[in-house]
Amino acid sequence: HFALTCHLAESLKAAERARVVNVASMGHWAGRIDMDNLQCEKSFNAVGQYCNTKLANILFARALAERVSHHGISSYSLHPGVIRSEFAQDEAGWFGHLFKLGRPFMSSPEKGAQTSLYLATAPGIESDSGSYFANKKRAMCSPAAKSQAKAEALWKESERLSGLSWG
């Protein structure tokens, strides 16, 4: 998300109004950003890392919103719902079984896209830039997702790792 958005910076700034929409998940509640193991070189857990990356998406959206409002750019993150997709279909263990069993109760991909489409197109939501959404409404996010210090640390490390910055 960071690198792609930085590569698009000039186009986003040139637009009269632009929006950056980051798909996260309510799985972010279990996320922990460990700056000493950000690249999972010391340890890796697939489910844990999924939650970590979703937390990172929310922190990125918040940090971006702080930097781009004066350019007429808005930034949002969202939970699309639990979607009937191929997610976790090849996952072994309890997590994969849970998703396979729950598949009939999951939302369609079309329903899952509704909040993303809303954030990309709804008029008058610019004042909610930096916010986290679910079901086309602002939603509560975890205390970790509200950490300005963590958002800034992750931003700085993203700049260092990618060699990019918000122009």
Side-chain angles (χ1 to χ4, degrees):
H1 292 87
F2 181 86
L4 176 61
T5 304
C6 285
H7 283 298
L8 294 172
E10 293 310 314
S11 295
L12 292 167
K13 289 177 189 177
E16 185 176 322
R17 288 264 177 224
R19 294 182 182 180
V20 177
V21 179
N22 295 274
V23 178
S25 165
M26 68 180 185
H28 84 276
W29 282 82
R32 302 288 175 264
I33 301 296
D34 180 356
M35 298 304 289
D36 294 325
N37 192 33
L38 199 57
Q39 303 267 29
C40 299
E41 293 163 331
K42 296 177 185 174
S43 64
F44 177 78
N45 171 284
V47 175
Q49 191 58 17
Y50 171 82
C51 297
N52 296 345
T53 61
K54 299 311 166 185
L55 173 57
N57 291 352
I58 295 170
L59 292 169
F60 168 70
R62 290 174 45 85
L64 181 65
E66 293 289 322
R67 288 167 168 79
V68 299
S69 61
H70 62 284
H71 291 291
I73 302 170
S74 303
S75 174
Y76 309 94
S77 59
L78 69 111
H79 170 62
V82 182
I83 306 304
R84 192 178 323 110
S85 68
E86 296 303 312
F87 179 78
Q89 292 305 295
D90 297 326
E91 183 72 29
W94 68 269
F95 189 72
H97 292 299
L98 179 68
F99 265 80
K100 287 173 190 150
L101 288 171
R103 191 169 167 77
F105 306 100
M106 296 177 184
S107 297
S108 70
E110 293 80 10
K111 181 162 175 34
Q114 292 303 303
T115 302
S116 294
L117 292 170
Y118 171 79
L119 292 172
T121 63
I125 63 168
E126 292 78 13
S127 64
D128 289 323
S129 184
S131 297
Y132 172 70
F133 283 75
N135 296 315
K136 299 192 275 187
K137 296 179 191 142
R138 284 181 65 164
M140 182 185 295
C141 58
S142 71
K146 295 176 187 174
S147 170
Q148 189 66 29
K150 194 62 89 171
E152 288 303 314
L154 185 60
W155 186 277
K156 285 182 180 17
E157 185 64 4
S158 297
E159 287 181 326
R160 188 187 74 73
L161 289 169
S162 68
L164 300 169
S165 64
W166 178 261

